[in-house]
Amino acid sequence: RMYAVGPSGQTGDLLDYTYTIRVTGGSPNQVLGISGASDGNDYGDDYRVYGVIFDANNLASYGYYNVKNAGSNFRFYGCRFTNAVLDGVRQSGYNSTTYVSCEYDNNGGWGFLVNGPNRGNSTHRNGSFHDNVSGGILGGNSVFVDSCQVYNNTGYGCQGFSRYAAAFDIEHCL
């Protein structure tokens, strides 16, 4: 299922089946990328994505890469970030992202990585991080992980990032 909600708050059509977005050629940086400076509507843009598989197909570096500073609040429900050359998700802009019942698997780096100068906020609930090479989740500034499963990663399961490790909150995980 996919709903699209844009800056106006208008909800788009419900698409009642799962989508797979798969890279099939070339070497793109990401399957879905969000970038740019604040659009003057700080935290006013609200996007929801339901049941989409972001398959980098071992060609793209990232499944989802967000470097936008403010103005973009994403919520992913039941999505999968898989087969990235590097990380399933890389979040480095100052933004707020929520992931509910998402899966991060079979990535060449981390399942989820917070990186960059601004390091946005993220919440992960009921997700799974597994079979990633570097580890399940590398968190930092305001990363909250609740009721998730982290297993079978080659590197760390969960790791705090540098000076931001104190803001990395993990509860009720296996």
Side-chain angles (χ1 to χ4, degrees):
R1 298 164 128 193
M2 179 188 290
Y3 289 97
V5 180
S8 68
Q10 184 66 34
T11 302
D13 294 333
L14 166 64
L15 304 173
D16 199 17
Y17 43 88
T18 301
Y19 276 99
T20 298
I21 302 173
R22 178 176 293 120
V23 174
T24 59
S27 297
N29 194 46
Q30 65 273 328
V31 178
L32 173 64
I34 308 298
S35 64
S38 173
D39 58 9
N41 187 20
D42 292 350
Y43 301 99
D45 298 340
D46 189 16
Y47 305 94
R48 293 182 178 102
V49 181
Y50 293 81
V52 175
I53 299 169
F54 297 92
D55 185 356
N57 202 21
N58 295 310
L59 296 170
S61 298
Y62 309 101
Y64 169 60
Y65 187 16
N66 190 339
V67 295
K68 185 170 177 72
N69 290 319
S72 63
N73 297 303
F74 271 81
R75 293 181 178 100
F76 293 93
Y77 299 91
C79 292
R80 183 178 176 204
F81 305 92
T82 187
N83 296 320
V85 173
L86 295 175
D87 309 309
V89 172
R90 180 176 178 174
Q91 185 170 320
S92 60
Y94 186 73
N95 50 67
S96 178
T97 308
T98 300
Y99 305 87
V100 178
S101 301
C102 291
E103 181 179 12
Y104 313 78
D105 68 305
N106 296 301
N107 296 295
W110 293 89
F112 176 86
L113 167 73
V114 169
N115 188 313
N118 294 319
R119 296 179 180 88
N121 303 323
S122 67
T123 299
H124 305 265
R125 287 197 168 88
N126 301 317
S128 66
F129 304 81
H130 63 91
D131 300 299
N132 299 293
V133 174
S134 295
I137 183 169
L138 177 61
N141 188 39
S142 298
V143 174
F144 178 66
V145 182
D146 180 33
S147 302
C148 291
Q149 296 182 13
V150 183
Y151 61 94
N152 205 34
N153 296 289
T154 304
Y156 294 98
C158 297
Q159 180 180 358
F161 185 79
S162 172
R163 62 188 171 141
Y164 298 102
F168 186 32
D169 188 10
I170 302 172
E171 296 181 6
H172 315 291
C173 293
L174 299 173

